Structures are given as C-alpha cells and as structure tokens.
Amino acid sequence: MELVENGGKKHHEIQEEKVMATSMTLNDYINIQIPSSENNELINHKQKRFLDFLKAHPSKEWFQKLGFIGRLSPFTFLRRSTSVSQPRPSVLTTEERRRRFRVPFVRKIDWPALIKYCKNWAKHPSNIAMLVWLSFVAVGIIILGLLMLGLLNGALSKSERTRWTEILNQVLNALFTIMCLYQHPRLFHHLVLLYNWRSSDIAELRKLYCKTPFRRPNERAHITFVVILLHITCISQYALCALYWGFTSKTRPDWAENLFIGVGIAAPVIAFLYTTYSPLGKKYESETDEENSEPAVNMVKLGSKRVVITNPEWIGGLYDIRDDMTVTYLSFFCTVCVFGWNMERLGFGNMYVHIVTFILLLLAPFLVFTVAALNINNEGIKYTVEIIGILLCFLGLLYGGFWRSQMRKKFKLPKSLFCSGNATMGDFMQWLFCWSCSLAQEVRTGNFYDVEDDSFCMKEEESARPELAPLPREAVVSPVMEMKKDGGGLDVLPVSVGGSSVGKDEALRPPLQPLIDMEVVVQPSKN
C-alpha cells in the first residue's frame, strides 16, 4: 500500500510539473546575460564619455550664458591650456595620464603676452601717473596697517605710534581727496550730458559706461545710477576730509569716520559691479537704423571739396612769438582759458572740463597738502608734505604736455626729438619749461587749419577759391573772337562772358592778345 501511495504521489508530482511547465510564459524565466565583446566595448565607451565630460573645457556658449566672454576678451593672455581642435591620442603614456588629471576650469597664463600688455599699458602717461599715485597709497596703507596691528610696538612707543598713525591718515586723506578733485569735473560733465541727452551726448556716454555702442533698454536710468554712485564716492571723501581737518585725533567722532570710509569704499564697488552685470555690461546688437544713417553722412562729407593735409606742420617755431602777438599775450596771461578753448575746437573734450581740471592740477595739491601739514605735529614731516604739494603743483603743467602729445599723434604733426629721441618726453618738457610758447604754437597751428574727421584740412575760403582767378575787370572780355560780315568788310567783335559786353569806355578795355599776334587776311567783296 505504501508503495502504491508513494508511486501515486510521485506520479502526481510529475503531472503537476508538466502542467506548470506548459502554463509558464517567457517572462517567468530569469534573464541571464552572457558577457560578450560588444557589451564590453559599450561599457568602455560610456566610461570614456564620462571621463571626457569631467576633463572637458567649458565651451564659448557656456561662458556666454554666464556673461564672462565679453569681460575676459580684452585680456589675451588668458587662454585655454589645450585647443579643442587638437585630436586626442588613443593611447596615452603614464606621464600624459598624470597631466590630464587636473582641474577642468584652470587656464594657463601666457606670460609673454601678459608682460607685453603691461608694458603697453604702462607707456601711457596717465597710467604712469596712476601707478605713482597707487605706489604712495600702497606704502601708506601698508605702514598704517602695521601700526594698527601692533607689529611696530617694539620699535615705537605709544605716543609715537599715535603720532605716526595721524600723519599717515592725513597723507592718505590728502591723496584720496586730490584724486576725487581731479575726477569730479568729468562726473559733473556727465550729469550735464545725461540732462541734455542728445545724440552726440548719448554716443559719448555709451563709450564710457556701456560695453557696446548700441541702444539698450533704460540706458539713461542705468548710467544715471552709476554716475550718482560715483558722485557719492567723491562727496563721502570730502566729508571725511572735513573730519580730518576740523577735528583732532581725540575729538574726531569714530562713527562718522567709519561711516564715510565705508560709504567711500562701497559706492565705487557697487558702481563697478552694476556696470559689469547690468544691461550696461552686456553685448547688444543694433536693433534700429542708427548705423544706417552713417554712410549717408559719410557720402555728404566725401562730396565736400575739402583738401586734407596729410603732412601738416607746426605753424612757426616754438620761440616764434612775434608771429602773432595777440596769441602770445593770451597764452601767457590766460593760459588755462586758452588751453581749454583750443582743446575743445580740436576735438579733445569739453572746454569747461579742461579748464577746471587744469586749475585743480595747478592749485589743489598746494592747498590740500598745506592744510594737511598743519595737522601734523612732526616738523620734518610737515615741511616734507608742503614741499611735495608745491612740486605737484609745478608738475600740473604736464597736463598740457599730455594733450600736446595727443594733438601731435592725432593730426600727425612733426615730432620733437631733442629730449633723448623721445617725442612724448619732448612734449612734456616743452610744456614744463615754456608752457606759453608751446600753447601759442598749438593755437597758431589750430588757426591755420580746419579740423574735420580727426584731420587737418585747408581753410574753406582758400580751398574754394580757384588757383588762377581773373580780375573782375578782366573777366568781361574773352579772347575768343567772332568774325562778322558787314557790308564791304569783316568786323572783329569780342564775345561777352557771362552775358556782359564791353562798355562804351574803350580805355578800360585790356589789350587783346589774339589781335596782336594773329594775322587777319581780309578779302574784298565782289560787287
């Protein structure tokens, strides 16, 4: 019985396995993948693409989305370490693999290009003056930082540290005040341009505050905001200067000093960031027909019969003051006003900005450094500060030399190579030691020519007049003669020019050359 039961159970289990086998579908089986060479190549390809992504350089489109391409484009010494167009080798050595594991966004600096860029930047006279100013400011800030951090406690006593801290504060205050005084006339001029908002004013403001010279939304409001921030910077420096001059180190309120210092630092930083990341710092394409009007203007200018002087000359020598005594007297007694007027008519900016800036360069250093010296207790330092102020006033004449150099380069005037063969240094020396003679020569040159399209042209009345113009009484008669048959002979009659004929007064008629040289053969008439 047990055998039968066991046999029946086995038979029943076998039947159930057959039924289950017939009822299972394809999805009930376990999917077992056997690795092959194609799968390995696919996995390696995916890994390679992932590693290439990690080592990839950021594309130009990615930088354009973040807004970095336009701001880094002037600096050519920043470039990618490898070129994207270079093919990548399939097999890499161990050293190359080590070099390829680097930070993706690190850029290599082209040191020769960087050095060349710095040399060209330092050659500009205004940049040289900026470097000198920055060097004095940097030295003062470093020494002041050492005193405030207590690193000079062992070398100086407490009273000496307090005195030297006040001296450095006064000197730094004078340096920053002078810089604000030099820049403030231009900022006032920019406010005037914003108020007028004419086409020429808009073009000038776009060159200074916009990345591209094209129209952008609400550009007037954006530029006004930046200009106001720069004015706040200058005003905060003036208020800080009043604190240093009106109070001593003990009576000076710390909260007011810290407030004006903070505002003076924050305002220019905000202005820089706003100019960079606002619509002013973005590239805009031309959406209007503003540029289409320029060819028409150029065609009109080409149609004008003006003679451009390709090789102009200085009118008179440097010491030829007798050529125009009026200009000589005005250049000596009204140097600043004549200089500003001459700069504006030559196309170098606003007259009033030049006048105010020149006056500040000549007077502000003496006033600022003298007042700062009054608040210094050390006699040696006091006299040194006063002497520096006087020297800076004397060096203010270099402002005229700078613009003389710009005039020479713009209009291609002859160079003066008497100062070690350096033309720019020669312009500076001429203004430094004989400013009235240099200014008179510049004015005489500007009077002799007309300025058009950044070049010297011949005077309009001279270029319009023909070279061989007859006298008024000679323009009546023409040498062309007309032979008229009248009765028994031929009469020689002059042909009138311009509809006029010879008058009755024969004494005023000039001799006719054709009648003197030409033989006239008269044949008798047949009657």
Side-chain angles (χ1 to χ4, degrees):
M1 292 296 293
E2 292 179 359
L3 293 174
V4 175
E5 291 178 0
N6 293 333
K9 289 180 180 179
K10 291 181 180 180
H11 179 72
H12 183 68
E13 291 177 358
I14 293 171
Q15 292 294 332
E16 288 181 355
E17 290 178 357
K18 289 182 180 181
V19 173
M20 290 175 65
T22 54
S23 62
M24 290 179 65
T25 60
L26 185 62
N27 295 330
D28 295 331
Y29 292 97
I30 300 174
N31 186 14
I32 301 175
Q33 295 182 355
I34 301 174
S36 62
S37 60
E38 296 179 358
N39 292 334
N40 292 333
E41 291 179 0
L42 180 62
I43 294 172
N44 293 332
H45 178 67
K46 290 182 178 180
Q47 291 178 352
K48 183 179 179 182
R49 290 186 60 187
F50 180 72
L51 292 176
D52 290 341
F53 169 75
L54 293 179
K55 294 180 290 187
H57 290 276
S59 63
K60 184 177 180 180
E61 291 78 10
W62 184 84
F63 274 108
Q64 286 178 347
K65 291 180 181 179
L66 295 179
F68 287 115
I69 284 293
R71 297 175 186 86
L72 294 179
S73 57
F75 301 98
T76 56
F77 53 84
L78 293 175
R79 64 183 185 182
R80 295 182 182 178
S81 59
T82 57
S83 177
V84 181
S85 60
Q86 294 179 356
R88 297 182 178 180
S90 57
V91 180
L92 300 176
T93 62
T94 306
E95 185 179 357
E96 290 177 349
R97 287 177 182 175
R98 291 177 181 174
R99 276 187 282 171
R100 291 178 69 89
F101 285 101
R102 60 184 181 274
V103 182
F105 303 116
V106 170
R107 289 175 176 265
K108 185 179 178 180
I109 297 176
D110 187 2
W111 290 106
L114 176 60
I115 294 172
K116 183 179 179 181
Y117 176 82
C118 293
K119 287 182 178 179
N120 294 332
W121 184 86
K123 288 180 180 179
H124 200 276
S126 61
N127 296 333
I128 294 175
M130 179 64 70
L131 287 175
V132 174
W133 180 83
L134 286 175
S135 62
F136 281 105
V137 172
V139 171
I141 291 176
I142 290 172
I143 299 176
L144 183 61
L146 294 176
L147 290 171
M148 296 181 68
L149 294 175
L151 299 178
L152 299 177
N153 293 342
L156 300 173
S157 62
K158 185 178 180 180
S159 60
E160 291 177 345
R161 290 197 304 270
T162 304
R163 185 172 64 253
W164 277 102
T165 301
E166 182 64 19
I167 291 172
L168 292 172
N169 283 329
Q170 293 291 341
V171 172
L172 290 174
N173 173 64
L175 291 173
F176 282 107
T177 303
I178 286 178
M179 182 57 65
C180 291
L181 287 173
Y182 292 165
Q183 299 296 327
H184 218 170
R186 295 176 62 252
L187 297 178
F188 277 114
H189 178 58
H190 297 166
L191 282 180
V192 175
L193 297 180
L194 286 169
Y195 177 77
N196 295 328
W197 200 247
R198 295 170 296 191
S199 58
S200 58
D201 304 333
I202 296 171
E204 184 175 354
L205 290 171
R206 284 175 182 171
K207 290 180 181 179
L208 296 172
Y209 295 100
C210 299
K211 190 166 189 62
T212 53
F214 299 120
R215 184 179 175 274
R216 59 204 68 230
N218 301 322
E219 59 182 351
R220 189 177 187 181
H222 293 304
I223 297 174
T224 304
F225 180 70
V226 175
V227 173
I228 290 174
L229 286 175
L230 296 178
H231 275 280
I232 291 174
T233 304
C234 295
I235 294 171
S236 63
Q237 179 58 40
Y238 300 153
L240 185 63
C241 184
L243 286 176
Y244 278 107
W245 289 355
F247 298 90
T248 62
S249 59
K250 296 180 180 179
T251 60
R252 188 180 304 140
D254 293 336
W255 64 269
E257 183 181 359
N258 296 331
L259 175 64
F260 292 128
I261 291 176
V263 172
I265 295 175
V269 172
I270 295 173
F272 172 76
L273 295 176
Y274 190 83
T275 305
T276 305
Y277 295 102
S278 67
L280 299 177
K282 296 180 181 178
K283 288 186 177 180
Y284 279 84
E285 298 290 336
S286 176
E287 298 179 355
T288 61
D289 295 336
E290 295 181 15
E291 292 74 27
N292 296 335
S293 62
E294 294 181 0
V297 175
N298 293 332
M299 291 299 294
V300 173
K301 291 181 179 179
L302 290 175
S304 62
K305 298 179 180 179
R306 303 300 302 274
V307 180
V308 179
I309 308 300
T310 56
N311 294 318
E313 297 287 338
W314 294 104
I315 304 305
L318 186 65
Y319 301 107
D320 293 338
I321 58 177
R322 295 183 179 272
D323 291 350
D324 194 334
M325 293 303 298
T326 304
V327 172
T328 302
Y329 288 137
L330 290 175
S331 300
F332 184 80
F333 294 104
C334 303
T335 304
V336 177
C337 297
V338 174
F339 172 78
W341 167 78
N342 193 46
M343 287 295 103
E344 183 174 11
R345 71 166 178 166
L346 293 177
F348 289 109
N350 185 265
M351 175 179 65
Y352 300 104
V353 175
H354 281 293
I355 291 174
V356 176
T357 305
F358 205 175
I359 291 173
L360 290 174
L361 285 168
L362 295 175
L363 298 179
F366 175 74
L367 297 176
V368 172
F369 279 88
T370 301
V371 177
L374 295 176
N375 296 277
I376 296 176
N377 297 325
N378 192 310
E379 293 295 330
I381 301 297
K382 180 186 294 186
Y383 291 134
T384 303
V385 171
E386 291 178 353
I387 292 172
I388 290 174
I390 295 173
L391 290 176
L392 288 177
C393 290
F394 183 68
L395 294 177
L397 293 172
L398 297 179
Y399 184 72
F402 168 74
W403 288 107
R404 180 184 176 89
S405 177
Q406 298 301 314
M407 176 183 175
R408 176 180 53 79
K409 294 176 182 178
K410 180 179 180 179
F411 299 110
K412 300 177 181 179
L413 291 164
K415 301 178 181 179
S416 55
L417 304 177
F418 71 93
C419 189
S420 302
N422 193 332
T424 303
M425 189 60 65
D427 297 331
F428 283 120
M429 293 300 104
Q430 288 178 4
W431 257 90
L432 193 61
F433 295 105
C434 191
W435 76 90
S436 60
C437 301
S438 301
L439 181 58
Q441 187 185 35
E442 295 169 13
V443 174
R444 290 196 304 266
T445 305
N447 291 337
F448 187 79
Y449 300 106
D450 280 342
V451 179
E452 185 175 347
D453 292 338
D454 296 338
S455 59
F456 278 146
C457 302
M458 188 179 293
K459 285 288 186 180
E460 189 172 0
E461 57 270 12
E462 297 178 1
S463 60
R465 187 177 64 186
E467 295 182 0
L468 299 176
L471 296 174
R473 65 188 181 91
E474 295 178 346
V476 178
V477 181
S478 173
V480 181
M481 311 305 295
E482 179 183 358
M483 308 300 290
K484 182 180 179 182
K485 182 178 180 180
D486 187 10
L490 295 176
D491 295 334
V492 181
L493 300 176
V495 179
S496 62
V497 179
S500 62
S501 60
V502 179
K504 294 182 179 180
D505 192 358
E506 297 294 334
L508 296 178
R509 184 168 61 180
L512 300 177
Q513 188 72 18
L515 294 180
I516 299 174
D517 298 337
M518 181 179 67
E519 289 185 13
V520 180
V521 179
V522 181
Q523 296 180 359
S525 60
K526 297 178 180 181
N527 290 328

